[in-house]
Every structure is written in structure tokens, then in C-alpha cells.
Amino acid sequence: MAKAIRMTATGGPEVLEYVDVEVGEPGPGEARVRQAAIGLNYIDVYFRTGAYPQTLPAGLGMEGAGVVEAVGEGVTHVKPGDRVAYAGRPPGAYAELRNMPASVLVKLPDAIDFDTAAAMMLQGLTVQYLFRRTFPLQGGKTILFHAAAGGVGLIACQWAKALGVTMIGTVGSDEKAELAKAHGCTHTINYNKEDFVERVKEITGGKGVPVVYDSIGKDTFTGSLDCLSPLGMMVSFGAASGPVPPFSLNELASRGSLFITRPSVFNYTAKREDLDSMAADLFHMVESRKIVIGINQRYALKDAGQAHRDLESRKTTGSTILIP
């Protein structure tokens, strides 16, 4: 038997139960992974609350790192004893041991420890596709990135600096502003004290930015559109404040023929060759120390509910991991 977090209903953090589970042999295309560390991400909240539906009872968690114990029929790219990390479906990372699709596993370089890997896979691959593929960034560009002091945000600060990109980041406190700046964010805006649209226009001399990366959703959506220059792109990749309400496409036309996309890391990593190349890019950035993963919170797996409370109340900064 192994310990795991399971939920039989959707709702608040109280639905997360710490239970014993039976983990058998891996089936065809699966691997059994003994997990050393597990990543906590806002997408876990979406699954817990039912915003992202799944069949119950269910596990939770999208990323982790550990050692392969066994592989099922047809699995050749990893073997028992391999150090691996992953970010992918189905949920179920909140566990000491799990059988999972081997297709999402990548071998972990020796220079990257398990805690770092668990803290960076989903968030790091997210920044990789946002900056390299959704709207490929080049030095000299100026961007707006919401939640700059969060797990994704602090990686984005460092990656933007490495690319020579001027990053304007929104934060919720002066302390978070200092944290974002320390990680390479050029300009910070405390949205509890300032109007971020006015500040973006001020910083850019009224031009706006060519791209906005927004994981906040409802509260920032319209303002984000107002920060874009003509033909700019709105990248809405999350909804921490709630889903974006329906809007007229004329809103895009009236602001200068804007583009909008709602991407997901799982679409970008669906092909094995894309996952391998994206992971290699992320590993290179971390191994070269251009990106340092800040693990600012650690919780025991049994305390996953408290971790969710702290995440939702915006008490956390940087990356958070659960330790089995």
C-alpha cells in the first residue's frame, strides 16, 4: 500500500483525503514511479473545485519527479532505475507511488535534483511554450506578464531577462514587487495601488505592448486588452480570478485588430518530439543557471489541503512542492 491524496467530491481543500491506495504492476504503456517530490500548481485547484471536470473518485496533481520502479509492455524510452520528471495528465501526482502513462516521462539530468524538477516542470514548460512558441520573443521586446511573483512568473522574469526582453510584471504587494525585480523583472506594478493599464501606457510611452501573458482571467482580461498595441496578442493561459466572461469579437477589432489565444501546455507537449525539445530547452536554462528555481514553500503530502489554502489566498510565492 502507498499513501495518496484522493477526492470523492469537488469543493474546498477539505475534500482532499490522505488515504492508502493499492498500486499494482504497470500496464501496457505505463511506468510505476516512486515519487520523491510533487509540484503544486493552480491547475490543481481547478480540478479540485470542478472547474475542470474529471470522473470521481480521483487523484490530483500534474507534476512530479522520482525513480522508475517498473515499466509495462511497450515502454522503451525509460527503464527501472531511471531518474525521471513529468508534467502531464491524468491527475494523480499527489501520491508516494503511482502507475502512469510513460509517454509523459522525461529523463532527468544528473545536475537537477528531484525537488527542483518537481517545482519546475509544469511551470517551466509553460514559460517555454509561451515565450518560444505562442508568441516567440526576441531581445528588445517589451511584454506585460501578470502574477510576476508566482511560480510561473518568477521563471518568466528570469527567462525574459536571459532573452533581453523588457518585462512589465503585475504583483499584489510591494514585497512581491521586490521579489519579481530580484528575478529580472524590469518594471513592476502593484495592482492594489496602481492602475496597471495607465502604468503600462506610461512605461511604453502610450504605445502599449505587443503581447500580454495573463493567467488571472476575469479580473484582468479587459485591462489586458487595453494594454495591447494594434495587432497585439492576448495570451490568456489561466483564470485564477475566475473564467473570462463572454465578450464580443468586436472588442478585438475596436482595439486595433488584436489576436487572442487560450493555450494549454498539454497541447504543446502532446507530440513526443515537442516534449523532448521543450524539456531539453528548459533543462539547459536551469543547468546553465540562467534560471534558478525558487522553492519557497514545502509541505508534507498529508498537508496538501493547507497548501491549497495558502495558494488560493495568494500567500505563496515562487514554486511550492509536496514531499511524500
Side-chain angles (χ1 to χ4, degrees):
M1 301 291 282
K3 290 292 187 180
I5 296 291
R6 291 289 186 267
M7 46 186 283
T8 57
T10 58
E14 68 278 359
V15 304
L16 302 182
E17 301 177 54
Y18 188 59
V19 299
D20 291 312
V21 295
E22 188 73 45
V23 182
E25 292 300 310
E30 290 185 334
R32 188 171 72 234
V33 178
R34 173 73 60 178
Q35 303 203 117
I38 300 149
L40 176 74
N41 297 279
Y42 217 93
I43 192 173
D44 303 344
V45 174
Y46 300 154
F47 278 107
R48 192 204 74 219
T49 60
Y52 288 1
Q54 62 177 329
T55 302
L56 298 174
L60 206 61
M62 307 298 288
E63 71 177 338
V67 177
V68 175
E69 284 194 347
V71 297
E73 181 183 349
V75 176
T76 58
H77 71 286
V78 293
K79 65 183 184 303
D82 282 347
R83 300 172 70 252
V84 295
Y86 66 91
R89 298 172 187 265
Y94 290 14
E96 294 176 335
L97 185 70
R98 68 179 299 204
N99 286 327
M100 60 182 299
S103 59
V104 302
L105 296 173
V106 293
K107 291 183 182 178
L108 193 60
D110 292 340
I112 299 177
D113 61 69
F114 290 129
D115 284 11
T116 299
M120 77 180 194
M121 287 301 292
L122 189 59
Q123 295 168 349
L125 290 175
T126 295
V127 177
Q128 199 282 340
Y129 84 75
L130 290 175
F131 283 7
R132 298 295 206 188
R133 299 178 65 189
T134 302
F135 188 98
L137 291 178
Q138 298 175 337
K141 293 286 188 183
T142 298
I143 68 173
L144 174 62
F145 202 103
H146 288 293
V152 174
L154 292 183
I155 295 174
C157 291
Q158 297 174 79
W159 211 315
K161 182 178 179 180
L163 293 173
V165 168
T166 296
M167 178 167 154
I168 305 170
T170 65
V171 295
S173 69
D174 292 340
E175 292 76 16
K176 288 186 176 183
E178 290 303 316
L179 185 62
K181 285 182 178 178
H183 283 74
C185 190
T186 315
H187 304 278
T188 56
I189 302 170
N190 183 342
Y191 54 74
N192 286 317
K193 292 183 175 181
E194 304 172 284
D195 183 306
F196 74 83
V197 178
E198 291 181 3
R199 282 288 289 126
V200 167
K201 293 296 178 66
E202 180 182 328
I203 292 167
T204 61
K207 295 179 181 179
V209 293
V211 60
V212 176
Y213 298 100
D214 189 346
S215 62
I216 303 301
K218 177 174 64 69
D219 290 353
T220 52
F221 181 76
T222 302
S224 293
L225 295 181
D226 291 335
C227 289
L228 286 166
S229 55
L231 308 184
M233 177 175 282
M234 171 68 173
V235 183
S236 177
F237 68 101
S241 67
V244 174
F247 69 99
S248 169
L249 289 177
N250 287 335
E251 297 291 334
L252 304 179
S254 65
R255 288 173 170 82
S257 298
L258 304 179
F259 296 85
I260 187 167
T261 182
R262 179 60 173 88
S264 165
V265 66
F266 306 116
N267 296 130
Y268 280 86
T269 59
K271 295 181 180 179
R272 184 73 214 185
E273 59 268 29
D274 290 334
L275 173 59
D276 285 339
S277 65
M278 290 170 64
D281 191 17
L282 174 60
F283 292 160
H284 168 71
M285 295 296 285
V286 173
E287 288 180 291
S288 66
R289 304 292 289 178
K290 292 179 181 177
I291 292 176
V292 176
I293 305 299
I295 303 172
N296 295 345
Q297 297 83 212
R298 285 178 168 85
Y299 299 83
L301 177 60
K302 65 182 178 63
D303 296 326
Q306 186 59 50
H308 274 235
R309 291 184 187 94
D310 291 347
L311 178 65
E312 288 184 276
S313 62
R314 301 187 180 181
K315 292 181 179 178
T316 64
T317 60
S319 296
T320 302
I321 59 172
L322 306 175
I323 305 298

